[in-house]
Amino acid sequence: MHEQLFSLSKEQKSSFREVYDKYYQPLCHLSKYYLGDTAEAKGVVQEAFVKLWEVRKEIDQDSNLKNFLFTLVKNNSLNILKRRQILLKHHEQIKWMEIHYQYESLMKVSGSYLEFEELKENIDRAIENLPEHCRAVFKMSRFEDLKNKEIAAKLGVTLKTVEAHLTKALRILRKELKDYLPLIMILTNFLD
């Protein structure tokens, strides 16, 4: 161990390569254990070796190189986990604020403007007024959660035909429900 440190302090690249070859895989396994992500783990290990190279002249000859590297990888992995927690907490706060504002927007919609039941009736009426094939395709897509391929197979038509019917249905519905689109957007986002 001490030989490797001595060699590193003299900038012998071959000694550095030996250390790299010896510890790279175990360090990757350690980091991946913490992070659960191979690419991130490799990045952490690369950073540890860069740090080792940068401080090679300052490392005490009696230091345990293995412990030094494992400590670097462990601490860098833990730092990434801390950042993840902060980001997750921040994301949850933002999501809560979005839901809160959407809820407030819904509450501000007065009864004189539009009741939920009235909106539902208008949507149902607009769907029922679609041309027969458009209506059938739209209902299978939106209410039965069928994929376009499944709809095509069920109706015995091509995938392009299904896509054309959906496009036409959505165009008609946007036109028919244009006065209600802001509220529909709020409801859609709130219910997601």
Side-chain angles (χ1 to χ4, degrees):
M1 195 66 66
H2 302 300
E3 269 180 52
Q4 289 174 332
L5 282 173
F6 182 75
S7 297
L8 283 175
S9 69
K10 293 192 184 236
E11 299 182 21
Q12 292 183 354
K13 291 181 182 178
S14 62
S15 293
F16 185 80
R17 185 68 198 189
E18 286 175 30
V19 172
Y20 183 88
D21 290 342
K22 183 174 183 179
Y23 294 115
Y24 180 78
Q25 285 303 325
L27 291 169
C28 282
H29 289 297
L30 173 69
S31 185
K32 186 177 178 193
Y33 173 79
Y34 283 104
L35 301 175
D37 183 274
T38 303
E40 268 187 316
K42 287 179 179 179
V44 165
V45 173
Q46 291 297 334
E47 286 177 29
F49 279 107
V50 168
K51 182 71 172 176
L52 173 63
W53 183 257
E54 290 171 351
V55 300
R56 67 192 179 280
K57 293 179 184 176
E58 294 136 31
I59 296 176
D60 183 3
Q61 296 300 313
D62 295 325
S63 295
N64 184 324
L65 185 58
K66 178 181 174 184
N67 285 348
F68 176 77
L69 287 168
F70 273 75
T71 300
L72 276 176
V73 168
K74 176 185 166 192
N75 289 341
N76 289 345
S77 298
L78 290 173
N79 287 338
I80 287 173
L81 289 175
K82 285 177 193 171
R83 283 194 298 270
R84 281 185 191 170
Q85 286 176 332
I86 291 167
L87 287 173
L88 182 62
K89 183 178 178 185
H90 185 66
H91 177 73
E92 287 173 359
Q93 288 172 342
I94 290 171
K95 191 67 177 165
W96 182 87
M97 286 171 41
E98 285 175 359
I99 290 170
H100 177 74
Y101 291 131
Q102 289 168 353
Y103 176 77
E104 281 185 352
S105 296
L106 275 176
M107 296 308 293
K108 288 179 182 175
V109 175
S110 68
S112 62
Y113 174 69
L114 180 72
E115 295 291 334
F116 181 77
E117 283 302 313
E118 180 185 343
L119 173 62
K120 184 180 178 319
E121 287 173 15
N122 285 319
I123 291 172
D124 289 343
R125 189 177 317 113
I127 291 170
E128 289 307 314
N129 288 335
L130 289 171
E132 182 182 346
H133 295 297
C134 289
R135 181 177 59 244
V137 169
F138 182 83
K139 284 184 172 182
M140 282 188 252
S141 173
R142 298 304 190 261
F143 302 133
E144 297 176 29
D145 290 325
L146 294 177
K147 306 251 184 271
N148 290 359
K149 285 182 181 179
E150 295 170 324
I151 296 169
K154 193 170 183 178
L155 295 177
V157 297
T158 67
L159 187 59
K160 291 277 187 205
T161 302
V162 170
E163 291 168 355
H165 284 310
L166 276 176
T167 301
K168 184 176 181 180
L170 291 172
R171 186 173 21 88
I172 292 169
L173 289 174
R174 274 191 209 103
K175 185 177 177 184
E176 289 293 317
L177 299 169
K178 69 179 187 288
D179 295 337
Y180 308 111
L181 281 180
L183 186 60
I184 291 170
M185 292 302 292
I186 290 169
L187 285 171
T188 302
N189 290 333
F190 183 73
L191 297 173
D192 278 349

